[in-house]
Amino acid sequence: MYTIKEVSKIMNISPHTLRFYDNDGLFPCIERNEKNVRLFSDNDLKWVETIQCLRNTGLSLADIKKYIALCKDGDSTLKERYEIILSQKKKAEEEIENMKKRLSILEEKVDHYKAVLNNEKEDFCNPFKK
């Protein structure tokens, strides 16, 4: 079992965010000890990872709560949960493509500036240079 502080370090998420998510009902299976300290299991860490992933792909907290409610409802909601995850996967793939385009532009600029610094060509990318 892990405390919030330990989970924070392991998962690279602030203790404040973990507490906020728990208070908002995103960790429905978290146990507490006799001192009311939250205790996370290995399975809970997987759940934290899933929530982080969903948040990082743009799913709102309200929609994450809906996903959690569907999970609680069991196998009858598998198709709906599948659709939510599939939608987030598509969004992540779109973001990867956008990042690849940005990276390509930056790679061109790096090559350009490297050539300029090596006196292999002139700096034609500076709009202020006449």
Side-chain angles (χ1 to χ4, degrees):
M1 300 299 271
Y2 307 93
T3 64
I4 285 232
K5 186 176 180 181
E6 293 167 328
V7 173
S8 173
K9 286 181 181 177
I10 294 167
M11 303 302 293
N12 194 28
I13 185 170
S14 76
H16 172 77
T17 300
L18 288 166
R19 285 185 194 94
F20 175 80
Y21 286 174
D22 186 39
N23 291 338
D24 209 25
L26 300 184
F27 303 137
C29 300
I30 298 297
E31 295 180 20
R32 291 181 183 253
N33 67 13
E34 64 281 352
K35 295 181 181 178
N36 206 30
V37 173
R38 293 170 182 92
L39 298 174
F40 292 74
S41 67
D42 288 329
N43 195 45
D44 294 327
L45 293 183
K46 285 293 201 184
W47 192 247
V48 171
E49 180 179 59
T50 298
I51 290 171
Q52 277 186 295
C53 175
L54 293 173
R55 283 297 293 147
N56 289 335
T57 59
L59 198 63
S60 70
L61 290 178
D63 285 337
I64 292 173
K65 283 183 180 182
K66 179 181 176 186
Y67 176 77
I68 292 167
L70 291 169
C71 290
K72 285 180 183 178
D73 288 343
D75 289 350
S76 65
T77 65
L78 280 170
K79 184 167 177 25
E80 195 170 353
R81 287 184 276 151
Y82 169 79
E83 294 297 331
I84 291 169
I85 297 301
L86 185 61
S87 174
Q88 293 312 114
K89 179 181 179 279
K90 287 178 184 175
K91 287 180 183 178
E93 289 169 341
E94 289 170 5
E95 185 60 25
I96 287 170
E97 287 306 311
N98 289 333
M99 291 297 286
K100 284 180 180 178
K101 289 175 188 173
R102 291 180 210 138
L103 182 59
S104 176
I105 292 168
L106 293 172
E107 286 171 343
E108 288 176 21
K109 293 287 189 187
V110 165
D111 291 343
H112 169 75
Y113 285 118
K114 189 186 299 182
V116 171
L117 289 168
N118 290 331
N119 294 316
E120 296 169 3
K121 67 178 181 178
E122 289 189 42
D123 183 10
F124 63 84
C125 289
N126 187 343
F128 298 102
K129 188 174 181 181
K130 303 246 182 208

